[in-house]
């Protein structure tokens, strides 16, 4: 199957999941997880109409963003864990950072965004288990979120998670639901609006959409198996 054919199939599945859950297609962003993909593949996806791309590593992302700098309507997101010493570059290059997960990183993002005169958008990554070494534990989420409210140049716009992998995507549903409830709890507790839930990957994006995802991060289903 070509990338275009895979794209059309994903698009149809997204639309069906939206219909099933009474949501509008425009509420869900298809973000192509483009780690390890060369710029040629990114451009193929761009030709299909995709405008959101997620990179995992700052260095790899910077190189591609520089090569594709003429494509000004691409939205570049950092979806992988972020080391504090790379925050400077992440702020310079990425529109949204999905992996805000500790005070030290919040401080550094604030400092770097302030220097650039930018308000950096970010998502707090929640860690539901030992699957990922990144992410804040559920019990520390409120404290971290409250801390970010003191920062003028970092704006948290939602939550992200990489739940454990299950053969049956239905088994992931409770984790997606949990992330939505955590978001709603923050909104109530702090009287704020958090528009985004970044959840769902190739294997389980339909369930994620049914549970309220606004950004699905899709790699393999779009680009094929990574080499
Ligand atoms: C690679 C990656 C994805 C996409 O994974 P697929 O299973 O290939 O769709 C999504 N999110 C993050 C953080 C990733 O690293």
């Amino acid at each position: 199957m070509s990338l275009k054919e895979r794209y059309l199939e994903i698009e149809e599945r997204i639309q069906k999941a939206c219909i099933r859950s009474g949501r509008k297609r425009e509420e869900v962003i298809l973000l192509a997880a483009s780690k390890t993909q060369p710029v040629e593949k990114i451009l193929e996806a761009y030709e299909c109409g995709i405008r959101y791309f997620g990179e995992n590593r700052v260095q790899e992302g910077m190189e591609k963003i520089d090569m594709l700098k003429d494509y000004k309507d691409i939205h570049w997101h950092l979806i992988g864990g972020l080391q504090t010493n790379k925050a400077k570059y992440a702020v310079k290059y990425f529109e949204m950072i999905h992996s805000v997960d500790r005070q030290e990183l919040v401080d550094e993002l604030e400092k770097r965004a302030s220097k650039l005169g930018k308000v950096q958008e970010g998502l707090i990554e929640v860690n539901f288990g030992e699957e990922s070494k990144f992410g804040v534990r559920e019990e520390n989420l409120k404290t971290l979120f409250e801390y970010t409210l003191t920062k003028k140049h970092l704006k948290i716009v939602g939550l992200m998670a990489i739940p454990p992998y299950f053969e049956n995507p239905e088994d992931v549903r409770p984790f997606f639901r949990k992330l939505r409830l955590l978001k709603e709890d923050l909104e109530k507790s702090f009287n704020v609006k958090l528009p985004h839930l970044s959840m769902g990957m190739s294997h389980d994006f339909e369930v994620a959409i049914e549970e309220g995802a606004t950004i699905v991060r899709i790699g393999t289903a779009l680009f094929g198996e990574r080499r």
Side-chain angles (χ1 to χ4, degrees), residues 31 33 35 56 79-80 160 162 200-203 217-222 224 226:
L31 178 139
K35 59 169 174 269
N56 282 66
I79 61 178
M160 180 272 217
I162 308 172
M201 319 202 317
S202 290
H203 179 62
R217 310 178 308 266
I218 299 183
T220 317
L222 180 68
R226 280 180 291 276

Side-chain angles (χ1 to χ4, degrees), residues 11-12 15 20 57 64-65 73 82 97 99 106 108-109 122 126 131 144 147 157 163-164 172 179 194:
E11 186 51 47
E12 188 180 325
Q15 284 178 23
R20 275 201 298 282
R57 293 169 177 279
K64 294 178 192 174
I65 294 168
D73 55 350
L82 178 56
I97 295 169
S99 48
V106 168
E108 188 65 14
L109 290 170
V126 178
E131 300 298 311
L144 182 64
Y147 185 66
V157 293
V172 196
L179 195 68
L194 297 173

Side-chain angles (χ1 to χ4, degrees), residues 8-36:
L8 290 173
E9 189 181 304
I10 292 165
E11 186 51 47
E12 188 180 325
R13 286 167 63 190
I14 291 177
Q15 284 178 23
K16 284 188 176 150
C18 285
I19 290 168
R20 275 201 298 282
S21 48
R23 303 183 62 201
K24 297 200 195 76
R25 173 64 188 90
E26 311 87 79
E27 291 171 28
V28 182
I29 291 170
L30 164 54
L31 178 139
S34 47
K35 59 169 174 269
T36 77

Side-chain angles (χ1 to χ4, degrees), residues 95-149:
E95 178 180 289
M96 194 188 287
I97 295 169
H98 289 223
S99 48
V100 179
D101 65 356
R102 58 197 190 277
Q103 280 200 12
E104 182 198 27
L105 181 59
V106 168
D107 288 339
E108 188 65 14
L109 290 170
E110 168 66 20
K111 178 175 144 193
R112 297 299 176 176
S114 163
K115 274 192 180 166
L116 288 181
K118 172 184 186 182
V119 177
Q120 176 66 52
E121 286 195 336
L123 304 175
I124 293 185
E125 178 172 353
V126 178
N127 186 334
F128 285 128
E130 56 294 338
E131 300 298 311
S132 165
K133 53 186 186 298
F134 301 108
V136 62
R137 309 292 301 200
E138 218 179 296
E139 57 269 29
N140 301 322
L141 172 61
K142 259 190 175 161
T143 308
L144 182 64
F145 179 73
E146 188 166 25
Y147 185 66
T148 66
L149 292 176

Side-chain angles (χ1 to χ4, degrees), residues 178-206:
K178 180 79 206 202
L179 195 68
R180 171 163 50 82
L181 294 175
L182 288 172
K183 178 185 95 99
E184 290 170 2
D185 183 42
L186 290 178
E187 292 180 311
K188 275 207 204 77
S189 303
F190 296 100
N191 192 27
V192 292
K193 266 272 160 231
L194 297 173
H196 285 297
L197 273 176
S198 168
M199 58 188 195
M201 319 202 317
S202 290
H203 179 62
D204 51 21
F205 66 88
E206 289 151 296

